[in-house]
Amino acid sequence: PSRLNHITCPDPSCSNRMAAEELGIDERATELLRSLPIDKQNLALSKLAQGLSAGKVKNASAYIVGVVRGPDLLDLDDRAAEMLRELPANMVKQVVEKLKKATDVRNPSAWVARAVISAKKEQPSIRFGGGGAIGPAGLDQGATRLLNSLPPQMQQEILGKLMMQGDIKNPSGWVVKACLAAGASPNAPTKGAP
């Protein structure tokens, strides 16, 4: 059972302050937590309570800082979150900070997928998907090359649509078909990253 169960307060921000205090979160981490919307505060505190009850969290304040500054609260779908986890911690931080500063991002998951692709292009030693695939969602080299021949906005749109599909058995084939339908040419040079 969560340590939060007995905390009641009519004002959600009051309740979250009490919960933060109850869970041993220091003042700095509490201020950072309070900078979030109430629903994100609740999510962060829930994650902390779960971590504490499972014995996985030793320092509640450090954990909250990591959740607030990390990708946990970005509303990413599972595929985008998985792709983000493939990056080294310093690159994850860069992608997350860039997303938080970006304006008019309609699909954070597609944006993150594209940013991960760009980050991996800059660091070729990082492999995608842990296998022979070299692109996002297990795309092969040809599909990745064709995707990269499109403008960044179109790439994001295609990756977003791919991520929304849950049952695609051949992501590379699906992306090739979508790229060709979007006007990509197999011999076209690659476009810039977002």
Side-chain angles (χ1 to χ4, degrees):
S2 168
R3 291 198 239 173
L4 296 175
N5 290 344
H6 71 282
I7 298 173
T8 58
C9 181
D11 174 16
S13 65
C14 169
S15 178
N16 285 345
R17 275 195 304 275
M18 291 170 56
E21 202 172 289
E22 174 78 12
L23 294 170
I25 301 170
D26 68 24
E27 191 175 317
R28 185 178 135 249
T30 300
E31 281 302 310
L32 191 59
L33 182 66
R34 289 176 59 197
S35 71
L36 298 173
I38 295 295
D39 64 321
K40 299 294 186 186
Q41 290 180 33
N42 291 337
L43 180 59
L45 288 170
S46 173
K47 284 178 166 283
L48 173 60
Q50 289 172 1
L52 286 169
S53 66
K56 295 181 179 179
V57 175
K58 303 273 188 259
N59 181 335
S61 297
Y63 183 84
I64 285 294
V65 169
V67 167
V68 171
R69 291 190 175 154
D72 294 329
L73 303 178
L74 296 178
D75 297 324
L76 300 177
D77 63 29
D78 291 341
R79 285 186 182 174
E82 182 181 323
M83 288 176 66
L84 193 57
R85 283 191 295 270
E86 292 174 358
L87 294 177
N90 64 326
M91 292 179 83
V92 169
K93 184 177 178 183
Q94 290 173 1
V95 168
V96 168
E97 287 174 2
K98 203 172 178 183
L99 174 59
K100 287 180 178 179
K101 290 177 185 174
T103 57
D104 70 322
V105 174
R106 291 181 294 176
N107 184 341
S109 295
W111 190 98
V112 165
R114 186 67 200 127
V116 169
I117 292 169
S118 296
K120 289 184 176 186
K121 282 182 189 173
E122 293 169 13
Q123 297 285 331
S125 62
I126 302 170
R127 300 290 292 174
F128 287 89
I134 63 158
L139 298 182
D140 63 26
Q141 186 175 8
T144 301
R145 190 177 320 118
L146 195 58
L147 181 66
N148 289 335
S149 73
L150 293 170
Q153 190 73 12
M154 183 60 65
Q155 292 175 31
Q156 287 182 357
E157 187 176 318
I158 289 171
L159 286 173
K161 287 178 183 177
L162 173 64
M163 283 190 251
M164 299 310 238
Q165 305 287 324
D167 58 346
I168 294 177
K169 293 186 183 1
N170 181 354
S172 294
W174 189 94
V175 166
V176 166
K177 185 176 178 182
C179 289
L180 292 173
S185 168
N187 300 322
T190 60
K191 302 282 183 194

